[in-house]
Amino acid sequence: MLSRPRGTRDMLPDEMEQRREIEARLRAKARTWGYREVSTPTFEELELFTIRSGEGIIDEMYVFEDKGGRSLALRPELTAPVLRTFVNEGRSLTKPIKWSYYADCYRYERPQKGRYRQFWQFGIELIGADSAMADAEVMMVADDLLRTTGVTFVMKIGHLSFMRTLLKDLPAEDQKKVRAFLDKRDTDAASVFLTESGRNDLAAPLQQLISARTLDEVFAVIGEIPEADRIRETFGILDSQGIQYEINPAIARGLDYYTGIVFECFAEGLGAENQILGGGAYRLAHLFGGEDTPSVGFAMGFDRVMVALGEHIWMPFQPQVSVIFTPEARERAIAVSRELRGSGIICSIDLMGRGFSAQMKSAGKIADFVIIIGDDEVKSGMATLKNMKGGEQQTLPLSDVISLLTTH
Ligand code: HAM
């Protein structure tokens, strides 16, 4: 028996309906903030992803050569593709540009619960705005979108200048290593690394900075930095709107393009893969041949949100109807089922050549209501509606049956 590739999933109708419900809520909510959806190709030139992150990232990607000898990659994320689209197509648009996306991404990772090789991201990119308001808005959108799904989460916010200031005398490579340890939440390894590279003097301030939970505590370790006013203003806006967050200077972000504010959201009860959203301020457009453009955005790990929600998803009730019929009434039954569908009612009809009572039995397994079309109904032009939960039954004109089902 053939099976699906490692790290991928098949989704059956119950799960797909739940996903579509949450997706619809996210799209509608992002739209209220003025973010409009874009779509980019599933695969891109490999260079789009290596130009900022270097060749190292190739190990984590699905990379292939096409028949024309081009090096291509399945997208591991959408920020670089969306910024490429902005450089190619959007330069003359009025700024700020507010785009959203929902699409699948591919990463060659070791699969486990909540970590897949094909996964979906819902994200936004705010392109061309560089202000505390812009940073704060994107975090407020993140908060609003996660709330609309119903997931319980904590938002943690940092700023890359915190660590950059503390580590400014280290060679760039060493700074990167410390950030990589912090991204894996391995603060002890970061301290050990500093000690081993002869910078024991930084180990204690690093620990102090990591445990700082207020801006005053942060600036007590690193001093007043040029970005301080902007950072205070951003947090002030969030506070004024009652947005819940924690300051966490250890947030380093795995991707290399961030330049300013960075934030991550974590859900309860997901184990190791509990990061359900990540984002921040970054600059990419100039690397793709455009002007240097400040941007800020985030992506939500849609599959992780779905795992965190589990069974607790409210779904709108849509009654399932089966039309069952006697052999002589078949054509009338088909016409009735088409009329029901015309009114948006979900309706099935026997396709297995079953007799009347076998149709009723099988409808009992799937339907909330049954509509009986027998000889009497054909003669009278009426339809008999049976509620499969309560068992009650009434014969009515079809238009009344339709209004009962659509107002149910
Ligand atoms: P990221 O943190 O790499 O950021 O991914 C965003 C989210 O995607 C993560 O927080 C996580 O929930 C989900 N995710 C990542 N890898 C997997 C996986 N293997 N399986 C399931 N879910 C996963 C970005 O991708 C940036 N482009 C975010 C961004 C947008 N920054 C600025 N704009």
Side-chain angles (χ1 to χ4, degrees):
M1 189 171 60
L2 291 177
S3 41
R4 59 182 181 261
R6 193 166 140 75
T8 63
R9 283 152 304 146
D10 298 314
M11 295 167 206
L12 299 183
D14 282 347
E15 183 177 357
M16 280 311 294
E17 280 171 7
Q18 294 189 331
R19 289 173 71 98
R20 293 295 189 219
E21 165 68 22
I22 301 297
E23 253 178 75
R25 285 189 216 169
L26 290 172
R27 282 208 177 87
K29 185 57 84 177
R31 194 69 193 86
T32 65
W33 288 85
Y35 290 79
R36 299 174 65 208
E37 192 169 1
V38 291
S39 167
T40 66
T42 307
F43 55 87
E44 294 273 358
E45 300 279 345
L46 172 62
E47 195 190 354
L48 182 72
F49 303 110
T50 53
I51 197 165
R52 183 73 190 90
S53 308
E55 304 282 314
I57 196 176
I58 291 178
D59 291 345
E60 294 155 29
M61 286 197 294
Y62 280 88
V63 173
F64 60 100
E65 199 170 282
D66 75 1
K67 293 195 176 80
R70 300 172 194 88
S71 287
L72 301 171
L74 297 184
R75 59 181 171 219
E77 56 113 35
L78 280 108
T79 305
V82 167
L83 267 286
R84 178 196 54 65
T85 305
F86 159 69
V87 170
N88 295 161
E89 316 281 347
R91 276 197 275 188
S92 58
L93 300 177
T94 309
K95 293 203 185 69
I97 291 166
K98 295 159 81 172
W99 282 346
S100 69
Y101 49 82
Y102 173 75
D104 48 349
C105 304
Y106 302 83
R107 294 187 191 177
Y108 197 76
E109 303 206 75
R110 189 202 284 253
Q112 61 185 73
K113 187 178 172 212
R115 198 205 288 161
Y116 311 106
R117 290 182 171 175
Q118 182 195 23
F119 62 97
W120 275 258
Q121 286 189 345
F122 190 100
I124 65 158
E125 308 297 343
L126 171 60
I127 304 167
D130 190 4
S131 64
M133 272 291 279
D135 292 349
E137 167 160 310
V138 169
M139 290 187 279
M140 287 193 284
V141 177
D143 181 82
D144 203 14
L145 289 190
L146 286 177
R147 272 177 211 290
T148 208
T149 69
V151 75
T152 311
F153 65 96
V154 178
M155 185 187 296
K156 300 189 178 179
I157 310 176
H159 197 285
L160 290 189
S161 66
F162 300 161
M163 280 299 155
R164 224 186 288 128
T165 308
L166 185 79
L167 305 173
K168 63 180 182 305
D169 299 332
L170 287 186
E173 266 313 295
D174 289 1
Q175 287 188 30
K176 213 172 158 180
K177 281 193 186 126
V178 174
R179 279 210 309 273
F181 285 129
L182 295 181
D183 190 45
K184 293 202 188 89
R185 297 180 231 171
D186 195 347
T187 52
D188 290 343
S191 295
V192 170
F193 174 77
L194 285 174
T195 309
E196 281 173 358
S197 32
R199 293 307 306 261
N200 201 16
D201 57 313
L202 287 177
L206 178 77
Q207 291 301 337
Q208 270 174 329
L209 183 58
I210 288 170
S211 33
R213 289 293 170 269
T214 64
L215 286 180
D216 289 342
E217 285 170 13
V218 170
F219 295 134
V221 181
I222 58 169
E224 282 290 320
I225 52 174
E227 294 89 344
D229 285 347
R230 158 98 171 247
I231 296 171
R232 284 207 169 89
E233 190 186 343
T234 307
F235 283 96
I237 295 169
L238 296 180
D239 292 340
S240 76
Q241 300 306 309
I243 304 294
Q244 302 286 310
Y245 63 88
E246 280 174 20
I247 291 179
N248 189 332
I251 299 226
R253 305 290 296 127
L255 297 154
D256 276 339
Y257 44 62
Y258 295 99
T259 50
I261 202 98
V262 281
F263 54 96
E264 293 177 346
C265 298
F266 299 88
E268 282 167 8
L270 276 189
E273 302 307 317
N274 62 347
Q275 195 204 115
I276 53 170
L277 182 147
Y282 61 92
R283 285 171 187 268
L284 273 175
H286 62 295
L287 296 174
F288 305 154
E291 269 170 42
D292 189 15
T293 311
S295 317
V296 50
F298 67 79
M300 175 190 302
F302 186 78
D303 311 87
R304 290 187 188 172
V305 168
M306 294 307 294
V307 174
L309 288 173
E311 303 297 306
H312 313 292
I313 299 174
W314 179 86
M315 297 287 289
F317 176 67
Q318 274 193 288
Q320 313 275 322
V321 176
S322 288
V323 175
I324 68 171
F325 53 91
T326 54
E328 298 73 30
R330 188 174 79 170
E331 275 66 35
R332 172 72 189 140
I334 298 171
V336 164
S337 68
R338 294 180 70 206
E339 208 166 317
L340 291 166
R341 292 184 197 115
S343 303
I345 295 164
I346 301 172
C347 177
S348 305
I349 190 161
D350 177 57
L351 304 174
M352 306 292 280
R354 291 186 174 114
F356 187 84
S357 47
Q359 287 180 45
M360 184 65 106
K361 197 169 164 207
S362 96
K365 295 185 190 138
I366 58 159
D368 302 298
F369 294 91
V370 154
I371 292 176
I372 300 164
I373 305 292
D375 302 349
D376 291 349
E377 285 80 6
V378 172
K379 277 194 210 108
S380 63
M382 310 274 266
T384 299
L385 177 69
K386 179 173 181 183
N387 184 335
M388 299 302 272
K389 299 249 159 60
E392 65 275 13
Q393 187 167 313
Q394 48 190 331
T395 301
L396 302 163
L398 187 58
S399 55
D400 291 359
V401 169
I402 289 175
S403 24
L404 272 177
L405 289 171
T406 46
T407 53
H408 191 80

